[in-house]
Amino acid sequence: MTVRSIAQDAELALLLEVTGTPKPGNVDRNHDHDDLRFEHFMAGAVGARPGLERAADGERVGRVFERAVAGMVQQSAGNTQFGALLLLSPLVAAAHDDALTPAGTDEVVRATTVADAADFYRSFEHVDVAVGDPPAGLEPLDVRRGSAAIPAIEERELTLYDVMERSADVDGVAAEWVGGFERVFGAAERIIDGDGPVPDRAATVFLELLAEEPDTFVVKQSDRETAETVQRRAQAVLDGNEEAADLADTLVEEGINPGTTADLVAGALFVTLRRGVEL
Amino acid sequence: MTVRSIAQDAELALLLEVTGTPKPGNVDRNHDHDDLRFEHFMAGAVGARPGLERAADGERVGRVFERAVAGMVQQSAGNTQFGALLLLSPLVAAAHDDALTPAGTDEVVRATTVADAADFYRSFEHVDVAVGDPPAGLEPLDVRRGSAAIPAIEERELTLYDVMERSADVDGVAAEWVGGFERVFGAAERIIDGDGPVPDRAATVFLELLAEEPDTFVVKQSDRETAETVQRRAQAVLDGNEEAADLADTLVEEGINPGTTADLVAGALFVTLRRGVEL
């Protein structure tokens, strides 16, 4: 028997994430959206792996991320795992440093440079990602400008950590970057401590995370009120007052997908696999 | 956008195979067995890829297969994709020769050597595979002996092609090896010509293959009568006289899984992806 590499575990985490069901509002083993289906996530995970593998040679986090995104889009549905890869890229680097801990990952993201930030902006050339408008005065840094924004980044000497800091209050993935990956590692502990098949445990933890904080992707895609409604209904499912399957069906119907919460679970599953949990 | 490597397409074929549903009797997106679940196939596919990747360096087919199997077993359920990998290994080699055709694959398998046969026997050290008793007088070549049988193979100067030839009448994968991979390439054409999501097309072709010939894994696992019953019921589904989902539920309940037919579909999906069908 051989042992999975760090990049293989990252890829498998992406596959397990989309398998866990029910994950209300997201594509999972039992739910597709019209134009975003289960197989797109599989192709996204398979495609992203060579990019993630570059971390083994000490490639910088931004470049690993940008290459992973370039591989992810080898399917027709566009963005499948952008946020998950933005979490996995520093987690994979920390694992290579033999420091897959909140402190170890914090060290990785604080060490990012302006070059990493430029890679991040380049990654928006590969795929459309739902983002909000930048605050007034920060239009030159709008990620939707892609590579065109790089001179503005360089002029301001912004690292990728700096970029994440600026959107940490509106983006759950960025919040992890600047908050020691607290929710990711916390979720991993809960998956590790759970019982039963790993995808089922992940689905439970997804629901718990969703009930704890409004999903920032839902805020961007719809609005805060919608995100808070989803949060309350997730709690109702945990309290036994609503069926998870019903909530899942409703959200899929309404096109609401709590993608950021899914991203957190993907990161947590990677940590889980690196901790040696067997499937 | 980058382009998937040959090994990535082989891995993705394994993932798409297990996704297509309903594939009566097998694990699929909507069906698990008690001890053999969807996530085991995902880990099997992710684990097998580095072995398959060795074909890029011209590694021999037997060794590619043996390494893929060694990677496949990085999960607790044992044999998930042994037969599929036995088909994929020569198909991957043919793809590297830029000759992914029946003739090109036939050339690959006819060129296998005694060393490939020894690799094949070694692969049984990694995992328990359901096989029948060898014919009288051929006990020294029983695959269940694993590496212990290699001296007997060497003494008789049997290539891997020779080994496959000896079980072609009782094993659907071996029959492909010595029959120009006719069913694999035929199934690929049907998937390519189909409509709708690729996993759905693959599930339809699975049912067609199942209705055409008794599944040899069912013959080994149960008996020929059972395999013929499954064959008839698959035809009934195609004729609209039975629900695929009902057949699926029954077979899963009875622990009957037409695994060889699934292996053929995995091979066909690989060919489909190499032909450029987009997900």
Side-chain angles (χ1 to χ4, degrees):
Chain A
M1 182 156 145
T2 58
V3 171
R4 275 190 301 269
S5 69
I6 290 171
Q8 280 180 295
D9 271 338
E11 181 189 1
L12 186 52
L14 293 172
L15 293 169
L16 294 175
E17 187 285 310
V18 74
T19 298
T21 187
K23 286 201 320 301
N26 287 304
V27 172
D28 67 23
R29 194 169 160 182
N30 294 334
H31 296 86
D32 285 325
H33 294 273
D34 283 345
D35 298 323
L36 184 66
R37 295 187 308 274
F38 195 72
E39 61 266 30
H40 298 133
F41 284 80
M42 295 200 154
V46 169
R49 197 251 321 142
L52 295 167
E53 220 154 50
R54 289 178 175 232
D57 306 320
E59 181 66 273
R60 64 174 183 265
V61 169
R63 181 86 176 138
V64 163
F65 171 70
E66 184 270 332
R67 287 290 89 201
V69 170
M72 175 196 84
V73 295
Q74 293 168 103
Q75 35 78 28
S76 63
N79 181 17
T80 46
Q81 292 125 328
F82 188 93
L85 291 171
L86 191 51
L87 290 170
L88 285 172
S89 298
L91 290 167
V92 161
H96 278 292
D97 293 343
D98 213 5
L100 186 57
T101 59
T105 315
D106 190 55
E107 202 168 306
V108 166
V109 295
R110 284 182 192 273
T112 59
T113 64
V114 177
D116 291 294
D119 293 325
F120 175 69
Y121 274 75
R122 266 181 215 108
S123 70
F124 286 87
E125 307 275 334
H126 303 308
V127 62
D128 285 328
V129 180
V131 291
D133 290 324
L138 289 179
E139 291 82 1
L141 304 180
D142 188 342
V143 287
R144 291 169 296 193
R145 297 184 65 216
S147 300
I150 294 176
I153 291 292
E154 288 173 343
E155 196 192 327
R156 288 165 175 79
E157 294 181 2
L158 295 176
T159 70
L160 184 47
Y161 186 87
D162 295 334
V163 171
M164 290 296 139
E165 211 164 30
R166 277 154 198 255
S167 53
D169 56 343
V170 295
D171 185 294
V173 170
E176 287 297 290
W177 264 66
V178 301
F181 292 76
E182 196 184 338
R183 299 188 78 201
V184 165
F185 282 96
E189 290 307 320
R190 287 191 254 171
I191 296 173
I192 292 164
D193 293 342
D195 286 317
V198 171
D200 294 353
R201 302 187 212 171
T204 302
V205 170
F206 171 88
L207 213 52
E208 291 170 0
L209 292 170
L210 194 57
E212 279 162 23
E213 289 188 25
D215 185 279
T216 55
F217 190 76
V218 176
V219 175
K220 283 176 203 167
Q221 208 186 24
S222 309
D223 51 39
R224 178 154 289 271
E225 197 188 331
T226 306
E228 286 172 355
T229 304
V230 171
Q231 187 187 358
R232 272 195 307 277
R233 291 184 65 178
Q235 187 58 54
V237 172
L238 290 171
D239 294 341
N241 296 326
E242 173 156 6
E243 288 294 326
D246 291 343
L247 178 56
D249 290 340
T250 313
L251 296 189
V252 170
E253 261 167 47
E254 294 176 8
I256 297 166
N257 57 311
T260 301
T261 307
D263 296 338
L264 298 173
V265 172
L269 280 163
F270 172 69
V271 175
T272 301
L273 291 172
R274 294 311 295 172
R275 294 283 187 267
V277 168
E278 197 183 39
L279 295 179
Chain B
M1 181 154 148
T2 58
V3 172
R4 277 190 299 270
S5 69
I6 291 171
Q8 280 180 296
D9 271 337
E11 181 189 2
L12 186 53
L14 293 171
L15 293 168
L16 294 175
E17 187 284 310
V18 75
T19 298
T21 188
K23 282 202 321 302
N26 287 304
V27 171
D28 67 23
R29 193 170 161 182
N30 293 334
H31 295 86
D32 284 326
H33 295 273
D34 283 346
D35 297 325
L36 184 64
R37 294 188 309 276
F38 195 73
E39 60 266 30
H40 298 132
F41 284 79
M42 295 200 156
V46 169
R49 199 252 320 142
L52 294 168
E53 220 155 48
R54 288 176 176 234
D57 306 321
E59 180 67 273
R60 64 173 184 264
V61 170
R63 181 85 175 139
V64 163
F65 172 70
E66 185 271 332
R67 286 291 88 202
V69 170
M72 175 197 82
V73 297
Q74 293 167 105
Q75 34 77 27
S76 63
N79 181 17
T80 46
Q81 291 124 329
F82 188 93
L85 291 171
L86 191 51
L87 289 170
L88 285 171
S89 298
L91 289 167
V92 161
H96 278 292
D97 292 344
D98 212 6
L100 187 57
T101 59
T105 314
D106 190 54
E107 202 168 308
V108 165
V109 294
R110 285 182 190 272
T112 58
T113 63
V114 177
D116 291 293
D119 294 325
F120 176 69
Y121 274 76
R122 267 181 213 107
S123 70
F124 286 87
E125 305 275 333
H126 303 308
V127 61
D128 284 328
V129 180
V131 291
D133 290 325
L138 289 179
E139 292 82 1
L141 303 180
D142 189 343
V143 288
R144 290 168 297 192
R145 298 183 67 216
S147 300
I150 293 177
I153 291 291
E154 288 172 345
E155 197 192 324
R156 287 166 176 79
E157 295 182 359
L158 295 175
T159 70
L160 185 47
Y161 185 86
D162 295 333
V163 171
M164 290 297 138
E165 210 164 29
R166 277 154 197 256
S167 54
D169 56 342
V170 296
D171 185 293
V173 169
E176 287 299 289
W177 264 66
V178 300
F181 293 75
E182 196 184 336
R183 300 187 78 200
V184 166
F185 281 97
E189 289 307 320
R190 288 191 254 171
I191 296 173
I192 291 166
D193 292 342
D195 286 317
V198 171
D200 294 353
R201 302 186 213 173
T204 301
V205 170
F206 171 87
L207 213 52
E208 292 170 358
L209 292 172
L210 194 57
E212 277 161 23
E213 289 188 25
D215 185 280
T216 55
F217 190 77
V218 176
V219 175
K220 284 176 202 167
Q221 207 186 26
S222 308
D223 50 39
R224 178 154 288 271
E225 196 189 332
T226 306
E228 286 172 355
T229 304
V230 171
Q231 187 187 357
R232 270 195 306 277
R233 290 184 65 177
Q235 187 59 54
V237 172
L238 289 172
D239 294 341
N241 297 326
E242 173 157 4
E243 287 294 325
D246 292 343
L247 178 57
D249 289 341
T250 313
L251 296 189
V252 170
E253 261 166 47
E254 294 175 9
I256 297 167
N257 58 310
T260 301
T261 307
D263 297 338
L264 297 174
V265 172
L269 280 163
F270 172 68
V271 175
T272 301
L273 291 172
R274 293 312 294 170
R275 294 282 187 268
V277 168
E278 196 183 39
L279 295 177

